[in-house]
Amino acid sequence: MKREEIRVRGTVQGVGFRPTVYRLAKVFGLKGDVCNDGDGVLIRVAGSESKITDFVDKLYEECPPLAKINELVRSRYLGEFDFTDFVISHSVNSMINTEIAADAATCPQCQKEIFDPFSRYFRYPFTNCTHCGPRLTIIRAIPYDRNNTSMVKFPMCGDCEQEYQDVENRRFHAQPVACFTCGPRACLERADGKPVIADMFSMLDDVDAVCTLLQKGEIVAIKGLGGFHLACDATQETAVQKLRERKRRYHKPFALMARDINIISEYCYINDLEKSLLTSPAAPIVLLKLKEEKKLAATVAPGQNTLGFMLPYTPLHHLILRRMKVPIVLTSGNIADEPQCIDNEDAKNKLSKIVDYFLLHNRDIINRVDDSVVRVIDHKIQTLRRARGYAPAPISLPSGFEKIPPILAMGSELKNTFCLLREGEAILSQHLGDLENAATFKTYQETLNLYLNLFQHQPEIIAIDKHPEYLSSKLGKELATVNKIELNEIQHHHAHIAACMAENQIPLNSQPVLGIACDGLGYGEDGQLWGGEFLLADYQHFQRLATFKPLPMIGGKQAIYQPWRNTYSQLINAFTWEEIKDKYSDLEIIKFLENKNPKLLNQIIEKGINSPSTSSVGRLFDAVAAAIGICREETSYEGQAAIEMEVLADINILNNDEETLNYPFNFEKLDNIYYIGTTPTWREILNDIKQHISSSEIAAKFHKSLAISIVTIVKQLRQKHEFNQVALTGGVFQNQTLLQQVKTRLEELEINVLTHSIVPANDGGLSLGQSVIAAARYLKRSPTSFII
């Protein structure tokens, strides 16, 4: 008889792992026990060596749906052993080094039960089991036990207790298990405080009444898994427009939810990978190509050729949509730019002027978690926002990062996430939003404290962005000073590239890659605003080899939301205003700019008044978009002009290889750095506008020409520098057209192209890059600059 201790690490708590261990141990006739602790799951077992080995093999084979084994270590057990059977022991509190499962969409078995009149879970909106339900959103501490979650205030009834204790039941130790007798309840309230009159509706209960309200054109705030959502019928233009006006979200596309795949397929094309994403336990919003045959309300996603759809991921959603034969809008329950509401009273205070009704419940949301957003490009998943269903599942780091101290990376100012790095893995927070909003920054601090406590993470190094005004960087500096922790300042675009390298499992000691980082802006080593960078980089260092010619951002931050400012900056760099008036005075864009007081604008540029120079490719996109009439005066959300221009691009031009359909860029070398200039580009764009070339053709020619210019620079750099891998990163590379155009051309040169998949290319992935750079520098302890 052999005795072993088996340590299992990974996502193994709250996912039905211990019952699986118990069941298999019984099958193989083993004795011992299994328990949760701060390091994962600990198994003590006695039996023949062959039986134990078979048991371990089966554990891998029959791992529960939401579980993930990262490491399984077998060792000889020398302690006390007085077991006569195999049992499940109580959790042990110890140093935390385990994983917290992400929230999971309702499993097929629970879906069946909520619609089965003979089930005790019939129409219960909080039905769950070990295969599905809330995790991160309700947890306060680990081990993941009921008393460490917001379910602690709901003592189990006898029936639930019986299922919870029955090792053969799929609800065995499912911490949020509950029913109508003992669990949370949903209730419908009017936003104006008046009583809800039941006779008004054809309804089974308050949840079913929501469907009737949506069909009548009402707007309903629904308290969901990780926060409130605002819902309305997506086919009713009046309802959708009313929601836009009340929420003050005038153009940004709304997310949609539909009862099933068949309804989604009436409006969008769905391939097999997209279907698997929609129906996965993560159940993210998936961007799908729009069909022309059937229309939703025009204002659901103005200027878009895709729709963001998700399927119901809680029993509450399934019950609401049971009778709904069309999609609904399901957008974040917040006032514009603020975090999602998670508290009933807060929601009623903030949303009562937006919605007509509230569907509330009394299960507290501990951790605010927004919906994840993904899409499929060239048969590969691209994550645009990593949140519900994915966070806080750890990301395995490449080889070389196994022995690192605890590191905290604070992330960026926009689309913020933070990252906890520990031996061999990175724990990336859910998407938190833009920290320039005071409420979001408060949420950021609260979530950071929660994670540090949950994972008992005591960082020895803090990594921040170099931008001196980022709130995340200021907080990082403060934490480092107060706690006497080493501080690492990381250049923005180097972090983008390192994040791309890390998720593509590029080992620590690999040769440098050429990183092409194109985005809105980031603080450069020279104190300027960078945004179109070619960096030869490894995890520790980088060398700037090429960039786009920096031009003034007239009005500073105003230029982000008023694209015409970027157009003027580009034009005045390529021409004098007299030359522009002489040759192009009849063009609409020139007439528009003439009314913006060019003389004053020139003085602002010459004197450098609130007009910092930037090499931003994002601002170049804005400039071209405004020139052809897209969001010329202003945008209502970041990137709107570029997104709408991509939609407009003529696919036939993009697929045409004729050189006459390309715009020229110019290249010059100064102080060993190549600069990409746009003077000839703008001459040709204005000539095309003058010749009444369509906006869709100009948009396509610009996308293709920009891709060609990027690849041209890569060819130049290869003549002097050795690299065979190129990382494409930064928010601009969330433009599918540009990404595909650049990637295809690089692969034709037999270059291995690295792109993002599991973390966003935008600033949502920045904290991962910051953390691995800080780790690499710790491991090497070498100077922070180098010559290649």
Side-chain angles (χ1 to χ4, degrees), residues 6 20 33 112 177 250 326 382 420 470 507 554 684:
I6 302 172
T20 301
D33 75 334
K112 185 178 178 181
V177 67
Y250 301 109
V326 297
Q382 184 184 56
L420 314 182
Y470 278 2
I554 303 170
E684 294 302 319

Side-chain angles (χ1 to χ4, degrees), residues 85-119:
D85 200 350
F86 196 89
V87 298
I88 296 178
S89 297
H90 292 296
S91 299
V92 176
N93 290 319
S94 60
M95 183 66 184
I96 304 301
N97 192 31
T98 190
E99 296 172 13
I100 299 169
D103 301 283
T106 311
C107 70
Q109 296 98 319
C110 286
Q111 284 185 48
K112 185 178 178 181
E113 287 173 332
I114 63 174
F115 292 118
D116 179 2
F118 299 102
S119 168

Side-chain angles (χ1 to χ4, degrees), residues 30 77 88 151 165 171 194 197 225 324 329 374-375 411 463 531 582 597 664 696 757 780:
L30 303 176
Y77 182 71
I88 296 178
M151 287 298 295
Q165 298 294 351
R171 292 192 171 88
K194 296 178 182 178
I197 302 173
L225 192 64
M324 201 77 186
V329 167
V374 303
R375 68 177 172 192
D582 182 50
N597 197 341
S696 61
S757 178
K780 293 294 181 179

Side-chain angles (χ1 to χ4, degrees), residues 638-682:
E638 187 192 12
Q640 180 184 356
I643 291 167
E644 293 189 12
M645 183 167 69
E646 181 189 3
V647 172
L648 194 65
D650 187 331
I651 189 68
N652 295 316
I653 300 295
L654 292 168
N655 294 332
N656 194 320
D657 291 330
E658 288 184 37
E659 288 190 15
T660 55
L661 296 175
N662 300 333
Y663 293 131
F665 285 73
N666 66 294
F667 309 96
E668 58 180 326
K669 194 174 184 181
L670 181 65
D671 296 331
N672 288 319
I673 296 176
Y674 284 96
Y675 288 88
I676 303 172
T678 57
T679 295
T681 317
W682 281 100

Side-chain angles (χ1 to χ4, degrees), residues 99-239:
E99 296 172 13
I100 299 169
D103 301 283
T106 311
C107 70
Q109 296 98 319
C110 286
Q111 284 185 48
K112 185 178 178 181
E113 287 173 332
I114 63 174
F115 292 118
D116 179 2
F118 299 102
S119 168
R120 74 187 195 90
Y121 294 102
F122 178 56
R123 298 199 59 79
Y124 184 56
F126 306 100
T127 301
N128 65 86
C129 68
T130 53
H131 300 161
C132 67
R135 299 291 190 278
L136 174 64
T137 50
I138 63 169
I139 192 168
R140 288 191 174 93
I142 49 179
Y144 175 67
D145 288 328
R146 194 179 184 97
N147 64 338
N148 286 332
T149 74
S150 58
M151 287 298 295
V152 67
K153 69 179 183 180
F154 300 101
M156 283 182 275
C157 65
D159 288 337
C160 285
E161 180 74 31
Q162 185 177 352
E163 291 189 348
Y164 182 86
Q165 298 294 351
D166 182 1
V167 74
E168 301 294 336
N169 193 292
R170 77 174 196 282
R171 292 192 171 88
F172 176 75
H173 283 210
Q175 303 307 329
V177 67
C179 69
F180 276 114
T181 303
C182 63
R185 293 295 188 101
C187 65
L188 186 66
E189 294 185 11
R190 288 175 58 121
D192 59 12
K194 296 178 182 178
V196 176
I197 302 173
D199 293 342
M200 288 173 59
F201 312 116
S202 169
M203 65 178 190
L204 296 170
D205 50 37
D206 282 10
V207 175
D208 188 57
V210 173
C211 181
T212 302
L213 289 168
L214 296 174
Q215 290 169 337
K216 289 176 178 289
E218 305 284 12
I219 298 172
V220 184
I222 300 170
K223 186 179 182 182
L225 192 64
F228 276 81
H229 286 95
L230 308 179
C232 70
D233 184 334
T235 64
Q236 296 188 36
E237 179 63 41
T238 303

Side-chain angles (χ1 to χ4, degrees), residues 461-752:
I461 300 171
I462 294 178
I464 63 172
D465 190 277
K466 278 202 166 182
H467 198 299
E469 295 305 314
Y470 278 2
L471 292 174
S472 56
S473 298
K474 289 180 175 179
L475 178 60
K477 287 180 180 179
E478 182 183 330
L479 291 173
T481 301
V482 170
N483 296 287
K484 298 180 180 178
I485 296 172
E486 178 183 330
L487 184 72
N488 261 251
E489 295 188 8
I490 311 294
Q491 199 281 319
H492 190 90
H493 301 95
H494 187 201
H496 271 308
I497 295 163
C500 190
M501 292 168 64
E503 76 156 280
N504 281 279
Q505 296 298 306
I506 304 301
L508 173 63
N509 294 319
S510 295
Q511 291 298 308
V513 306
L514 180 67
I516 304 176
C518 298
D519 61 3
L521 56 85
Y523 197 76
E525 292 286 277
D526 56 2
Q528 300 295 308
L529 298 177
W530 294 3
E533 309 308 313
F534 296 71
L535 309 180
L536 192 61
D538 58 20
Y539 286 111
Q540 299 173 69
H541 317 291
F542 71 88
Q543 181 183 358
R544 194 186 195 197
L545 301 183
T547 186
F548 282 75
K549 182 179 178 181
L551 295 174
M553 274 178 66
I554 303 170
K557 191 175 178 180
Q558 281 183 290
I560 297 173
Y561 295 101
Q562 296 179 348
W564 65 266
R565 293 175 180 271
N566 303 292
T567 312
Y568 188 86
S569 182
Q570 290 281 342
L571 291 178
I572 210 66
N573 172 69
F575 311 87
T576 64
W577 189 248
E578 288 69 27
E579 186 181 0
I580 291 171
K581 286 198 296 182
D582 182 50
K583 292 183 178 180
Y584 305 110
S585 60
D586 57 332
L587 301 188
E588 190 179 327
I589 178 61
I590 305 306
K591 292 176 183 177
F592 177 91
L593 293 175
E594 184 69 35
N595 290 326
K596 295 296 182 182
N597 197 341
K599 184 178 179 180
L600 177 61
L601 293 174
N602 289 342
Q603 289 175 349
I604 289 172
I605 293 171
E606 288 165 10
K607 295 180 180 179
I609 301 171
N610 194 25
S611 298
S613 293
T614 179
S615 54
S616 169
V617 177
R619 301 291 76 79
L620 174 59
F621 266 92
D622 288 346
V624 176
I628 61 175
I630 300 171
C631 304
R632 180 172 289 159
E633 180 71 62
E634 64 180 357
T635 61
S636 62
Y637 63 93
E638 187 192 12
Q640 180 184 356
I643 291 167
E644 293 189 12
M645 183 167 69
E646 181 189 3
V647 172
L648 194 65
D650 187 331
I651 189 68
N652 295 316
I653 300 295
L654 292 168
N655 294 332
N656 194 320
D657 291 330
E658 288 184 37
E659 288 190 15
T660 55
L661 296 175
N662 300 333
Y663 293 131
F665 285 73
N666 66 294
F667 309 96
E668 58 180 326
K669 194 174 184 181
L670 181 65
D671 296 331
N672 288 319
I673 296 176
Y674 284 96
Y675 288 88
I676 303 172
T678 57
T679 295
T681 317
W682 281 100
R683 292 184 185 276
E684 294 302 319
I685 288 174
L686 291 188
N687 287 337
D688 273 359
I689 296 173
K690 190 168 186 176
Q691 293 171 34
H692 305 291
I693 301 298
S694 69
S695 295
S696 61
E697 184 172 331
I698 294 172
K701 287 171 70 173
F702 171 71
H703 277 85
K704 190 167 77 161
S705 304
L706 178 60
I708 290 170
S709 75
I710 288 171
V711 175
T712 300
I713 283 290
V714 174
K715 290 177 183 176
Q716 290 282 343
L717 297 176
R718 279 186 98 190
Q719 294 176 16
K720 184 177 178 183
H721 303 278
E722 287 188 18
F723 58 86
N724 199 44
Q725 297 193 102
V726 172
L728 303 180
T729 186
V732 168
F733 279 113
Q734 289 190 326
N735 180 309
Q736 181 174 344
T737 301
L738 181 66
L739 178 67
Q740 289 176 313
Q741 288 279 324
V742 174
K743 184 172 180 284
T744 300
R745 285 175 165 80
L746 289 175
E747 288 174 342
E748 288 171 356
L749 300 175
E750 298 185 346
I751 291 174
N752 182 35

